């Protein structure tokens, strides 16, 4: 209902004979007290890292729990996947789903191939996520969102901020030799982390109070004991054990203290890319410094350990909580 001050006659009957009382009555009431604070807004850059990027979920949840409102997101690789799903408003759906995955659930979503420039097609993974989350046009999302990819032929960074969300995500997660490149408008696109592992630059012009970046390529820490093997490995039929052993030789494991074990092909590739991206991220972040950088150690998990989702999400939450607690600029802006 619309409310106004009423007719002139009604207002006249409200005049008090005491001038001081009149002055008090005619003084407009403030909409809020002088120290009323509004919810601060955040432009959020989410870095690459495979399964390590699940920590982004914990960071996002902690930021929102502490009263920050995310208005724009840019992501590379796993950061694009988590950021895009959050921009759709479906992060809780994805969190619950990925937290329930076991090791062989992850393997069942891998569509192996030995052609097209990658070991994995990626269609099964994206199809599963589309069925779980749905799809949308990026320009119709409630948040500004940019997925960062790399155009191999033109040798340049590409910012995907229009078109189907999961097309942009598929391009951004296309780790060279692991996933096939993704084609959009005739362009051959691969993982955005090759040139911009923590994409602050797409957010520089966003009208947010703070620009916060999350990197899972921080300094390595002392390795922890490996998590116990899941029951499905011990009880699996023989063919599943053989598949697991084959994948285990290809894919990296958590720190297991075995200095004599020969690394697999994907482990060597992962180590090399981690080193490259960590150094590139430092250079980019030094040139385009965010208001707050939340860093997690790059050896907290391998890029393929999605079955550790609960642990990694919690690590992200704790890292965000600690970073915000020690951030001198973290006070809520005044209205």
């Amino acid at each position: 209902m619309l409310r106004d001050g009423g007719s002139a006659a009604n207002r006249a009957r409200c005049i008090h004979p005491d001038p001081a009382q009149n002055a008090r009555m005619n003084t407009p009431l403030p909409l809020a007290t002088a120290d009323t604070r509004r919810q601060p807004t955040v432009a959020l850059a989410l870095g690459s890292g495979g399964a390590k990027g699940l920590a982004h979920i914990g960071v996002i949840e902690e930021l929102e729990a502490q009263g920050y409102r995310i208005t724009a997101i840019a992501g590379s690789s796993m950061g694009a996947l988590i950021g895009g799903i959050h921009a759709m408003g479906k992060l809780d759906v994805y969190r619950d789903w990925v937290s329930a995955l076991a090791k062989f659930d992850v393997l069942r979503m891998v569509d192996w191939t030995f052609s097209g420039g990658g070991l994995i097609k990626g269609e099964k993974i994206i199809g599963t996520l589309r069925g779980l989350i749905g799809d949308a046009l990026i320009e119709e999302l409630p948040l500004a969102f940019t997925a960062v990819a790399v155009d191999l032929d033109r040798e340049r960074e590409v910012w995907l901020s229009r078109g189907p969300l999961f097309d942009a995500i598929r391009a951004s997660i296309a780790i060279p030799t692991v996933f096939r490149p993704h084609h959009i408008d005739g362009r051959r696109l691969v993982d955005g982390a090759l040139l911009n592992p923590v994409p602050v630059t797409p957010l520089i012009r966003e009208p947010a109070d703070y620009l916060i970046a999350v990197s899972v390529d921080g300094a390595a820490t002392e390795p922890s004991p490996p998590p116990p093997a899941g029951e499905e490995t011990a009880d699996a039929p023989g063919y599943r054990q053989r598949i697991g052993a084959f994948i285990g030789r290809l894919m990296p494991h958590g720190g297991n203290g075995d200095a004599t074990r020969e690394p697999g092909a994907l482990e060597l590739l992962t180590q090399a890319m981690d080193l490259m991206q960590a150094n590139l991220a430092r250079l980019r972040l030094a040139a385009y410094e965010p208001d707050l950088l939340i860093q997690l150690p790059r050896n907290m998990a391998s890029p393929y350990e999605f079955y550790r989702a609960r642990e990694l999400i919690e690590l992200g939450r704790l890292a965000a909580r600690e970073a915000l607690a020690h951030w001198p600029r973290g006070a809520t802006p005044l209205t």
Side-chain angles (χ1 to χ4, degrees):
M1 175 189 289
L2 294 176
R3 300 176 63 185
D4 58 24
S7 65
N10 288 337
R11 289 197 298 271
R13 284 196 293 271
C14 293
I15 296 176
H16 198 277
D18 179 2
Q21 181 70 11
N22 270 335
R24 286 192 295 273
M25 292 179 65
N26 291 330
T27 301
L29 293 174
L31 294 176
T33 57
D35 63 348
T36 296
R37 297 175 184 271
R38 66 174 174 83
Q39 195 176 22
T41 56
V42 168
L44 186 62
L46 300 178
S48 61
K52 295 180 292 181
L54 292 171
H56 295 323
I57 298 174
V59 172
I60 290 171
E61 291 180 344
E62 185 63 24
L63 286 172
E64 294 187 332
Q66 295 205 26
Y68 294 88
R69 181 166 61 90
I70 299 169
T71 58
I73 298 178
S76 282
S77 201
M78 191 63 181
L81 190 150
I82 299 297
I85 292 174
H86 179 65
M88 280 191 72
K90 299 291 185 69
L91 191 60
D92 57 339
V93 176
Y94 177 77
R95 178 201 61 216
D96 294 344
W97 174 79
V98 76
S99 295
L101 291 179
K103 190 176 296 187
F104 276 94
D105 293 326
V106 177
L107 293 176
R108 277 194 290 268
M109 288 185 291
V110 176
D111 43 3
W112 297 101
T113 182
F114 295 97
S115 63
L119 294 173
I120 301 171
K121 295 178 185 177
E123 295 168 4
K124 196 170 183 180
I125 295 171
I126 293 299
T128 300
L129 292 175
R130 277 197 176 106
L132 178 73
I133 305 297
D135 206 345
L137 296 176
I138 297 174
E139 58 269 30
E140 295 177 358
L141 296 175
L143 305 182
F145 173 71
T146 303
V148 177
V150 170
D151 186 328
L152 274 180
D153 300 312
R154 293 174 176 83
E155 301 179 354
R156 65 183 64 170
E157 183 179 332
V158 176
W159 297 354
L160 301 169
S161 55
R162 299 184 64 83
L165 174 64
F166 274 101
D167 269 358
I169 290 173
R170 174 62 182 85
S172 189
I173 67 171
I175 303 170
T177 73
V178 177
F179 285 96
R180 282 178 174 176
H182 190 60
H183 295 262
I184 297 179
D185 297 332
R187 294 178 296 178
R188 198 164 48 120
L189 304 179
V190 295
D191 192 342
L194 288 180
L195 294 180
N196 201 347
V198 186
V200 168
T201 42
L203 299 172
I204 288 175
R205 298 183 64 179
E206 291 293 335
D209 295 314
Y210 301 120
L211 201 166
I212 296 177
V214 186
S215 170
V216 295
D217 287 322
T221 58
E222 288 297 321
S224 57
E231 293 182 0
E232 75 278 7
T233 301
D235 300 333
Y239 81 96
R240 292 179 68 185
Q241 290 185 7
R242 290 195 296 273
I243 293 173
F246 171 71
I247 300 303
R249 288 193 295 271
L250 286 176
M251 292 188 174
H253 305 274
N256 57 12
D258 184 3
T260 62
R261 181 180 59 83
E262 286 293 326
L266 284 185
E267 184 164 7
L268 284 174
L269 175 63
T270 298
Q271 289 176 348
M273 291 194 66
D274 278 353
L275 178 62
M276 176 193 72
Q277 290 175 11
N279 282 279
L280 180 56
R282 281 197 293 271
L283 292 172
R284 296 293 297 254
L285 290 169
Y288 302 97
E289 187 176 1
D291 296 305
L292 175 65
L293 174 62
I294 300 171
Q295 277 192 312
L296 290 99
R298 62 179 177 269
N299 66 334
M300 64 179 176
S302 87
Y304 309 100
E305 293 181 312
F306 286 90
Y307 52 89
R308 295 175 57 193
R310 288 190 182 90
E311 174 193 351
L312 295 170
I313 291 169
E314 189 60 24
L315 287 174
R317 190 189 323 278
L318 294 175
R321 189 174 300 165
E322 182 177 359
L324 291 169
H326 295 89
W327 185 28
R329 297 178 60 181
T332 308
L334 289 172
T335 302

